Every structure is written in structure tokens, then in C-alpha cells.
Amino acid sequence: QVHLAESGGGSVEPGGSLRLSCAASGNTYNEYCMGWFRQAPGKEREGVATFFSTKDKLFYHDSVKGRFTITQGVDKNTLYLQMDSLKPEDSAMHYCALNRWCALMGDRETKWGQGVQVTVSP
């Protein structure tokens, strides 16, 4: 059973930085996709960044390119999202996710963490 646990959310001023972490356990896939999604009140959930394990294939939402960086820990069981130059529109619940394939991220087989709140305000 895959379990994902996020940490590192919080409140910052515009232009600030936060680093989210996702600790994964129970993942038995040799190849898999992990990533970060976010959902603001009244809005659809959207993919922020994803990472495919063996091919290092990365995806970033256009709104975060050049500001956010997704990386994997040396132990392969931790996923990070470094968020720099944060904007108020980045405020949302941020969720860690895992699926066998990046193309299927968000389907009913996707595993989700409990989410962490990111708030960017003056």
C-alpha cells in the first residue's frame, strides 16, 4: 500500500520561497511517475510538476516554469518541490501524487497525500 506524506507548506510573502517534501512508502514500482498538484478554492485541481523515475522526464505547468523545481531525493523515496519567487496565485493546497504512468496521473489509480497548504500574501 502506497503512502504519501507531504510537509513544508506554510505562509510567505510574495517573492518568497518554500520547499515541499513528500515521503513515499510502500511503492513497489521500478518505474513510476510522481508529482505535485494543487487546488485553490473554487478551482480545478491542476498539475504543477511531474517526474518520471527512470527517464527523468519532467513536466512543469507553464505558470511555474523557471520558478519551481521538482527533484527526487537520493534515497528515491522522497520528492521535493522547491518553489521560488512565489506569487499570490500560487496559494493553494498542494498534493503529492504517484501513478504508474505520468499520462494517467489523476485517474482513480493515482495515490494522493493528504496535502499541505501554501499561502502567499503580503
Side-chain angles (χ1 to χ4, degrees):
Q1 186 79 4
V2 174
H3 180 70
L4 304 173
E6 304 98 333
S7 60
S11 297
V12 295
E13 295 182 349
S17 297
L18 284 173
R19 189 193 196 202
L20 304 184
S21 299
C22 173
S25 59
N27 178 25
T28 59
Y29 294 135
N30 290 322
E31 296 181 328
Y32 53 90
C33 186
M34 285 188 76
W36 293 94
F37 288 70
R38 65 187 181 188
Q39 187 168 21
K43 294 188 176 181
E44 297 272 331
R45 182 172 57 198
E46 63 181 9
V48 176
T50 58
F51 168 96
F52 189 69
S53 58
T54 58
K55 300 178 180 178
D56 291 339
K57 187 174 182 179
L58 303 178
F59 159 82
Y60 290 100
H61 192 278
D62 284 346
S63 67
V64 307
K65 285 180 180 177
R67 301 188 298 121
F68 291 12
T69 304
I70 187 171
T71 56
Q72 190 176 35
V74 175
D75 63 0
K76 306 294 185 183
N77 293 321
T78 308
L79 189 71
Y80 301 100
L81 185 67
Q82 178 66 40
M83 304 185 294
D84 298 318
S85 302
L86 282 161
K87 304 175 181 180
E89 51 264 42
D90 294 318
S91 297
M93 281 293 287
H94 284 65
Y95 298 90
C96 179
L98 184 148
N99 194 299
R100 179 70 176 81
W101 304 105
C102 289
L104 299 180
M105 269 293 201
D107 75 357
R108 63 180 183 177
E109 298 298 322
T110 300
K111 308 302 181 185
W112 299 95
Q114 80 284 357
V116 290
Q117 178 66 39
V118 171
T119 302
V120 186
S121 63

